Amino acid sequence: IDDEDLRRSYLDVVYEKMARDYPLEAFEKQLANRTDSKIDSKDIRRLKAIAKDDLKAALRILGNATDETSRRSIALAIAAQYAAQEPAQALEWVQSQPAADRKQLLKAVIGSVASIDAELALEAAQQQKNQVQRNQLIRSVVKTVAKQSPRDAANLLEGIEQKSDRIVAASAIAKDWLKKDTSAAIDWLLNTDAEVSDAIFKDRFAAKQIQLDEAQAIVAALPEKYRATWARAVADRLTK
């Protein structure tokens, strides 16, 4: 076919059919067939499938990418699957990626690792020097674990070194736990690290997570040092 655009359109159809039996080969040929290497949503789905079946092949595609934007899209597409298969190696891999891409990649990798090895994910999150990013990643880890077991998420607090990070994690756990099982969450808060308890009970957000009638009943059962804050939070809700 002499017409370049027509030839490319024809080959695209061929590679679409080929992808059913040879997804990796078809993807590489289709990418090479384009005038640019822009990655679209269909490519992302294919890359995720390739990474699931053949992680090394997906990494090879990444290594062969020359366009910076496409390279970033490919890396993000395979990051979670890389973390699911090789969590420790995936965390190391992120550090070898361009600095501009690391934040997004680390978020994807740690989010995936958290469901497999929460302690490893938490350790990686705490290594981040930027406090905002570190707190975001810590919250991501504990929330992932808390979906399955708030108690397990709470146990992770022992592995968080800095007090401020521990409070961030505890607040993330408490926010959902108080809604799902108020009595269990309150019991945990009353018996956990005193610094964590103080930070959460003295913040009105905790009282706002609970049904109003239940929050009213809890006020009287709290230690005296927390009652005033909770009583004000309940009063605010009653007057609205």
Side-chain angles (χ1 to χ4, degrees), residues 136-163:
Q136 288 175 343
L137 292 172
I138 288 172
R139 277 195 293 266
S140 173
V141 173
V142 297
K143 282 184 175 182
T144 297
V145 177
K147 287 179 182 178
Q148 299 299 320
S149 171
R151 184 72 64 184
D152 288 346
N155 290 337
L156 288 174
L157 296 182
E158 296 178 6
I160 301 178
E161 298 175 4
Q162 293 191 35
K163 182 180 79 171

Side-chain angles (χ1 to χ4, degrees), residues 1-12 33 35:
I1 302 175
D2 294 329
D3 184 281
E4 184 69 16
D5 290 337
L6 182 58
R7 187 177 68 82
R8 290 182 185 279
S9 297
Y10 172 83
L11 285 174
D12 257 348
N33 183 50
T35 54

Side-chain angles (χ1 to χ4, degrees), residues 2 10 12 15 31 34-35 39 71 99 131 137 153 155 159 167 175 181 186-187 196 206 208 227:
D2 294 329
Y10 172 83
D12 257 348
Y15 297 144
L31 203 61
R34 297 176 186 172
T35 54
I39 303 297
R71 189 186 186 287
Q131 184 177 347
L137 292 172
N155 290 337
I167 291 170
K175 187 173 183 179
D181 190 342
I186 292 292
D187 181 65
V196 168
K208 294 177 181 179
R227 287 178 200 162

Side-chain angles (χ1 to χ4, degrees), residues 60-126:
R60 187 172 70 245
I61 291 172
L62 175 63
N64 291 335
T66 54
D67 177 76
E68 184 179 337
T69 302
S70 294
R71 189 186 186 287
R72 183 179 299 116
S73 297
I74 294 170
L76 284 169
I78 68 177
Q81 189 56 234
Y82 194 171
Q85 295 182 36
E86 303 285 352
Q89 289 88 329
L91 287 167
E92 291 181 5
W93 167 74
V94 170
Q95 301 308 315
S96 70
Q97 298 306 296
D101 301 343
R102 285 178 203 156
K103 184 176 180 180
Q104 280 185 293
L105 288 173
L106 190 61
K107 182 179 179 181
V109 168
I110 284 182
S112 184
V113 173
S115 61
I116 302 167
D117 189 336
E119 291 182 359
L120 178 61
L122 190 60
E123 181 182 347
Q126 290 183 82

